[in-house]
Amino acid sequence: MVSYRLPRVATAQAPASIPPSGLPGLDPDWSRIVDVPESGSSISHAWHLLDNGEQLAALGVDPVGTVLCVHGNPTWSYLWRDLVAQATDAAAAGRPAWRIIAVDQLDMGYSERTGAARPLARRVQDLDDLTGVLGLAGPVVTFGHDWGGVVSLGWAVDHPHLLAGVLLLNTAIHQSDTEAIPAPLRIALARGVLRTGTVHTPAFLETTLALGHPALPAAVKNGYRAPYRTPARRGGIGGFVADIPADATHDSHPELDRLATALRTLTVPALMLWGPQDPIFSDRYLDDLLDRLPHAAVHRFEGAGHLIAEDVDYAGAALTWLAAAVEQPATAPLEQVADPAGEANPPLWRYLDELQDSDETALIDMAPGAGAGARVVTWRLLSRRVREIAAGLHQIGVRKGDRVSLLVPPSADLTAVLYACIRLGAIVVVADAGLGLTGLTRAVRGARPDHVIGALPGLMAARALGWPGQKISTHRLPAASRRALGVSYALADLISLGRDEELPEPPVPGDVAAVLFTSGSTGPAKGVVYTHGQLAAVSAALHTQYGVGRGTGLVAGFAPFALLGPALGARSVTPDMDVTAPKTLTATAVAAAVAAIDATVVFLSPAALANVVATQGELGPADHAALAGVTCFLSAGAPVSEPLLASAAALMPNASAHTPYGMTEGLLMTDITLEGIRAAAQDDSARGPGGVCVGTPAATTRVRISAIDETGAAVGELSATAGVTGEIVVSAPHVKDHYDKLWLTDLAATREVTAGERWHRTGDVGHLDAAGRLWVEGRLPHVITTAAGVVTPVGPEIAASALADVGRAAAVGVGPAGNQQIVVVVETIPPAAKVGLAEPALAEDVRMVAGHPVAAVLVVPHLPTDIRHNSKIDRTRLSRWAEGVLSGGRMGEP
């Protein structure tokens, strides 16, 4: 690849100046000009920078430190205006004061046009020259974006005695020799394009300004354009592009390599705020940075891109992190509530070791494909396959801590691969097909797996959508297909390579074991990180609560529970069904699965359960006999109504019917039986504002409530006081460790009330009754704030759903917060043919039972739900839709 040099322009030199007044968000009082001698020469250069130091002095506060902000190309210090403003406002409000210094690099913004080439090493030295004149004495936190990220990191590694932390927006510190630089930069560097696109015309600048998500307001775009109105002012833009070290022959490559190597020596706190929609600095550059700063916190803002500083509130995030990581002294990591047993749970592969010589059934594949009958797998075979696959994975370079995405439908193959990864210490990434293609793509790209193991449909999607990672197929493919899909190995190859079953030392409880993605029913699916110890605690909780263990036959219509079967020592089977559509599960399929393993425990999602009840007429005498052998039945994932649970219990007359409450972040929080639901329904004093009773805390779980205020915010201290509605907060040994690359989300979801104990904020709202039972009233974002007070949605929904003409109902708020009106949207029986206002009689019935004033009742053929469960109603989407319809918008389906 050709190396490029700074393009020359006719009028390269110009003095520094102050930005014009009137630029949105830019306070003229922040601007200053500083004259800085250039080290190694007799000349000096004038810098323009933003600095809130005088404002802090006027407030009479001493800064706790300085944030040194360095913009990239083709922006300027205007990029950091929100941070300067928010930091100054925080100081005025009495919070710790941070001095913000945001520079315009030389030849950029309103700093001097020097007329000389300024390669990377010179720019790093330039910044050192400036901070020397400013007399920065620490603590200093560097903050960089784009090419300014590299320059800021150069200052950081050269000033470890002053450095207190590192903040980064999208940037890169290393370019792999095996991968091309991003396409937009290759185009900009092309001969005949470089000078024209970056200097003679504003094409490079305008292309960058078009990268806002959403589009930047015209006034903000003009703010960025202000210093670059003429070719003479744009020489620095071209110079920055020309200085990109596209290969090892470039003059700036040695300096970039020096910084990339030195970055590994930094141990100060670090935070990376990332826009994954960036066409230049994609997630592969984030991965490289994390490899060099493995202790760094990360928050990926879904939907944000290259101009992340314009897309999201990066300033608020940065100040939050500064308060948590830099201002406060380091503290020990918070732990979950201790297991009363006081002993570590056995590893997930315990029974695979103990039963490796057993010919008892471990699992059954009811639909192994190609029209074959059920596939029976013994403990002996499963144990051997797990060891062989683990050894084979190790042979091809999969190591402890590598991420392995599993795009395999529930099956014996999935079970063997999952436990092989677990035993090896690789981190399994599970984002099930129920997320839909868009959600699955977002999840896999965000998790950035090192390896992908998939069946053919998953591998085809991975290839078409550019999912990262080495590809491994579950079945042997023709040579042409392997090449087309980029497949390196098949499972059979791994088994052959791993015949010696030589395995490294096993992982320990504190090692990360899995990233499990949420359903996406309340926003983009989140990666939930579990350690080996926490997954073992999930298994222990299920055993303690339901007695599932050695020899239990377990039918799981929900993949995560099927995968826990071997860890519990249970015989497990997934019924013949489409896991992306739980409503495809039939009563006969459940009966067949029960009969196949003499199951005593059945777990089904509510959507699957509804169709099982609906298809019970297809059951024969043998099916009923099989179902009569079930002793414990569970349904969870969304609220389960008493009539539905009762109908299912009638199909399994000897089973105790349970509906546990939990989430991906904690799979078993509370539990209630059918009898418990009926008892709670008769206790008028317990119901309070309504909701679904989900029982008492399970196993080692503790539950508390944080009361909500009139705005719907959870502000109360954690309490077990009966009758108080608020956010549900839980603690248990089997609650997740953290969210993957979502530092802000994890911070918001974590709450400490006693030293060393961590509580998880569920985002659900509800209350405890006098008997200690938990009632779920909805989701925190769905609380309706009316003029008369807050209304939680589940109570009105249950009341409306009990009407003879209503199948399901959703209560949402429309209008401004604090003065919202309640709208009830219903599915009717029989289903409505189209969207519309409810018939007057039905609307009156809903208003009579809702318990609160209802502004409107709308009917829809189908309520929008999540894909995985087919039962979690998207109230946020419904609220936007209802507001549009009632404002005169089109009566389309939500």
Side-chain angles (χ1 to χ4, degrees):
M1 184 175 291
V2 179
S3 297
Y4 298 89
R5 297 296 178 266
L6 179 70
R8 299 295 178 181
V9 292
T11 54
Q13 291 182 302
S17 61
I18 297 294
S21 61
L23 297 182
L26 191 67
D27 186 337
D29 290 340
W30 298 334
S31 283
R32 59 184 292 203
I33 302 294
V34 179
D35 195 62
V36 179
E38 181 179 301
S39 58
S41 75
S42 59
I43 61 175
S44 64
H45 299 296
W47 291 64
H48 168 257
L49 50 89
L50 307 181
D51 185 354
N52 69 342
E54 290 189 4
Q55 283 74 26
L56 298 183
L59 291 170
V61 297
D62 294 323
V64 296
T66 300
V67 181
L68 180 61
C69 304
V70 188
H71 67 85
N73 187 34
T75 58
W76 57 288
S77 57
Y78 188 65
L79 182 84
W80 307 107
R81 65 195 185 281
D82 286 349
L83 180 61
V84 183
Q86 288 194 34
T88 307
D89 290 346
R95 296 192 292 276
W98 282 91
R99 182 184 181 187
I100 310 297
I101 296 176
V103 306
D104 281 356
Q105 298 198 63
L106 292 175
D107 298 325
M108 301 293 288
Y110 286 92
S111 284
E112 180 181 323
R113 287 348 187 225
T114 66
R118 310 203 77 78
L120 176 59
R122 180 67 258 172
R123 289 199 175 276
V124 172
Q125 185 59 52
D126 285 344
L127 190 59
D128 177 63
D129 293 344
L130 170 66
T131 58
V133 170
L134 293 176
L136 291 193
V140 176
V141 175
T142 59
F143 203 167
H145 172 244
D146 187 85
W147 205 226
V150 183
V151 176
S152 72
L153 289 173
W155 192 94
V157 300
D158 290 342
H159 298 80
H161 56 295
L162 299 178
L163 190 68
V166 168
L167 281 158
L168 292 170
L169 305 180
N170 290 46
T171 187
I173 194 68
H174 173 70
Q175 176 61 44
S176 170
D177 294 335
T178 61
E179 295 185 80
I181 63 173
L185 297 183
R186 293 201 301 274
I187 294 171
L189 281 165
R191 288 195 182 280
V193 175
L194 175 60
R195 192 187 306 267
T196 301
T198 61
V199 181
H200 294 326
T201 73
F204 188 83
L205 172 63
E206 293 303 321
T207 299
T208 302
L209 296 181
L211 297 178
H213 295 79
L216 271 61
V220 171
K221 285 186 177 182
N222 285 333
Y224 281 109
R225 293 174 181 134
Y228 304 119
R229 291 292 184 182
T230 66
R233 300 286 300 174
R234 292 194 291 267
I237 294 176
F240 258 119
V241 174
D243 196 42
I244 295 171
D247 63 15
T249 68
H250 194 284
D251 289 350
S252 283
H253 188 275
E255 177 69 357
L256 185 66
D257 192 54
R258 178 185 80 86
L259 301 183
T261 301
L263 191 58
R264 296 185 186 276
T265 67
L266 294 186
T267 58
V268 295
L271 173 66
M272 303 173 195
L273 303 173
W274 207 262
Q277 300 302 313
D278 191 340
I280 302 165
F281 299 117
S282 62
D283 279 349
R284 68 178 164 116
Y285 293 106
L286 173 62
D287 289 347
D288 176 75
L289 285 164
L290 284 173
D291 181 61
R292 298 168 194 280
L293 289 175
H295 64 281
V298 178
H299 191 95
R300 293 174 75 256
F301 290 90
E302 285 294 346
H306 182 70
L307 292 178
I308 183 173
E310 300 296 337
D311 296 343
V312 301
D313 180 17
Y314 83 95
L319 291 171
T320 298
W321 177 80
L322 287 169
V326 180
E327 294 168 17
Q328 301 296 325
T331 57
L334 299 179
E335 301 294 337
Q336 297 292 354
V337 62
D339 187 337
E343 297 179 1
N345 295 305
L348 296 172
W349 58 88
R350 166 192 177 183
Y351 287 108
L352 292 171
D353 287 347
E354 290 184 5
L355 301 176
Q356 61 182 297
D357 296 322
S358 172
D359 290 319
E360 296 177 21
T361 297
L363 60 91
I364 295 181
D365 236 341
M366 295 302 292
R375 177 185 178 191
V376 178
V377 179
T378 65
W379 283 103
R380 183 193 301 273
L381 176 58
L382 180 60
S383 179
R384 185 172 74 245
R385 282 288 182 264
V386 166
R387 293 194 303 274
E388 289 171 342
I389 294 171
L393 287 169
H394 195 256
Q395 286 283 337
I396 67 169
V398 180
R399 294 293 182 262
K400 178 180 176 181
D402 281 4
R403 291 190 169 198
V404 182
S405 179
L406 304 183
L407 304 178
V408 185
S411 60
D413 286 339
L414 176 59
T415 302
V417 168
L418 182 140
Y419 280 88
C421 292
I422 291 288
R423 171 57 186 83
L424 185 60
I427 301 168
V428 295
V429 178
V430 181
D432 66 62
L435 291 176
L437 194 57
T438 300
L440 193 58
T441 297
R442 184 187 294 118
V444 173
R445 285 182 175 169
R448 293 294 296 177
D450 302 289
H451 315 274
V452 175
I453 303 177
L456 184 58
L459 293 174
M460 291 174 66
R463 182 66 172 181
L465 297 169
W467 296 348
Q470 174 183 227
K471 308 303 187 294
I472 301 167
S473 62
T474 53
H475 297 88
R476 290 194 186 279
L477 300 173
S481 297
R482 289 201 306 273
R483 287 192 298 271
L485 297 174
V487 171
S488 303
Y489 299 93
L491 277 188
D493 299 324
L494 302 183
I495 291 169
S496 179
L497 289 169
R499 291 294 185 197
D500 61 6
E501 300 181 15
E502 289 291 330
L503 294 172
E505 287 297 309
V508 298
D511 291 334
V512 173
V515 181
L516 310 178
F517 276 84
T518 62
S519 67
S521 60
T522 56
K526 299 182 287 290
V528 179
V529 176
Y530 277 91
T531 65
H532 283 265
Q534 288 158 348
L535 283 184
V538 172
S539 177
L542 287 170
H543 173 72
T544 300
Q545 189 70 29
Y546 304 114
V548 181
R550 176 76 175 90
T552 301
L554 171 65
V555 173
F558 187 45
F561 282 86
L563 294 171
L564 282 171
L568 291 160
R571 301 185 308 279
S572 57
V573 58
T574 298
D576 186 0
M577 64 182 293
D578 178 356
V579 294
T580 68
K583 290 182 179 180
T584 60
L585 182 61
T586 64
T588 54
V590 173
V594 169
I597 58 168
D598 295 324
T600 55
V601 178
V602 173
F603 183 96
L604 303 175
S605 71
L609 182 62
N611 199 55
V612 167
V613 170
T615 58
Q616 63 180 301
E618 301 169 6
L619 294 171
D623 297 323
H624 282 291
L627 293 174
V630 176
T631 59
C632 182
F633 160 68
L634 303 92
S635 184
V640 184
S641 68
E642 186 275 338
L644 178 58
L645 198 63
S647 297
L651 294 176
M652 293 169 271
N654 297 312
S656 173
H658 297 254
T659 174
Y661 162 71
M663 60 234 44
T664 308
E665 296 87 341
L667 294 177
L668 177 60
M669 296 291 98
T670 69
D671 178 75
I672 192 170
T673 63
L674 177 59
E675 292 74 19
I677 292 174
R678 289 168 173 165
Q682 298 300 314
D683 187 351
D684 292 336
S685 65
R687 192 174 300 110
V692 174
C693 184
V694 294
T696 54
T700 55
T701 301
R702 289 201 289 164
V703 176
R704 296 291 184 270
I705 301 296
S706 172
I708 56 176
D709 63 13
E710 68 278 1
T711 70
V715 297
E717 294 297 319
L718 297 194
S719 170
T721 303
V724 175
T725 291
E727 184 177 15
I728 301 167
V729 187
V730 297
S731 186
H734 55 284
V735 168
K736 56 91 177 165
D737 192 71
H738 63 276
Y739 289 115
D740 187 42
K741 300 176 185 173
L742 292 171
W743 181 82
L744 284 167
T745 304
D746 199 57
L747 183 70
T750 303
R751 181 158 178 170
E752 182 187 18
V753 292
T754 56
E757 185 175 2
R758 181 161 54 94
W759 291 73
H760 173 66
R761 298 178 57 178
T762 66
D764 291 333
V765 289
H767 67 276
L768 293 165
D769 64 22
R773 294 170 298 205
L774 177 64
W775 295 71
V776 177
E777 302 175 41
R779 293 284 299 167
L780 193 62
H782 303 157
V783 169
I784 304 167
T785 57
T786 73
V790 296
V791 176
T792 51
V794 171
E797 291 171 354
I798 291 175
S801 298
L803 296 172
D805 296 336
V806 176
R808 288 192 299 179
V812 299
V814 299
N819 197 31
Q820 288 185 311
Q821 305 298 307
I822 300 173
V823 175
V824 178
V825 186
V826 301
E827 290 178 355
T828 58
I829 302 175
K834 61 181 181 179
V835 171
L837 292 170
E839 293 293 330
L842 175 58
E844 182 60 26
D845 289 344
V846 170
R847 289 188 171 96
M848 287 289 291
V849 300
H852 301 276
V854 174
V857 180
L858 302 173
V859 298
V860 294
H862 302 286
L863 289 168
T865 61
D866 66 300
I867 297 174
R868 178 188 290 178
H869 301 288
N870 287 160
S871 55
K872 292 185 177 180
I873 297 170
D874 190 341
R875 297 190 188 97
T876 301
R877 177 176 164 188
L878 266 182
S879 176
R880 291 194 301 266
W881 169 83
E883 186 153 356
V885 167
L886 296 174
S887 299
R890 189 175 66 88
M891 278 269 190
E893 289 200 30

